Amino acid sequence: GRLTDLLERVEDVENHLSDLKNTIENHPASEDHLEVATFYRDEVMTRMQSLRTCTDGLERVCPEDVWPVPDYTKLLFSII
């Protein structure tokens, strides 16, 4: 049901976040800035996008009153 879906999505976010953290922690220890930049482009950014996809899915099924951050609409119209 809905609770199972929510819990599965939370677990998915946790797994993707852990993967992202591990990737960042294991970045190349190199003086070659191009190598490091390429690593971040290919490895870190890819994982960040995967995490974003997971959190977007979680946001869609999570009740608004318990979602800890404002959505885009609230961000856009709260500064006016």
Side-chain angles (χ1 to χ4, degrees), residues 27-38:
H27 69 84
S30 174
E31 297 287 326
D32 181 351
H33 299 298
L34 180 59
E35 178 186 0
V36 174
T38 301

Side-chain angles (χ1 to χ4, degrees), residues 1-67:
R2 186 171 179 204
L3 181 58
T4 300
D5 183 39
L6 189 63
L7 292 173
E8 287 173 357
R9 289 174 187 264
V10 167
E11 184 177 345
D12 200 27
V13 167
E14 289 173 340
N15 290 337
H16 280 81
L17 181 58
S18 177
D19 184 39
L20 175 60
K21 286 179 179 180
N22 289 333
T23 300
I24 292 170
E25 289 171 359
N26 295 308
H27 69 84
S30 174
E31 297 287 326
D32 181 351
H33 299 298
L34 180 59
E35 178 186 0
V36 174
T38 301
F39 173 82
Y40 271 81
R41 181 198 66 204
D42 295 344
E43 303 298 330
V44 174
M45 292 297 294
T46 301
R47 284 164 177 81
M48 287 175 70
Q49 183 58 46
S50 294
L51 177 59
R52 168 69 190 271
T53 300
C54 292
T55 56
D56 286 349
L58 180 59
E59 182 179 9
R60 283 191 292 277
V61 299
C62 188
E64 184 179 338
D65 62 328
V66 297
W67 188 249

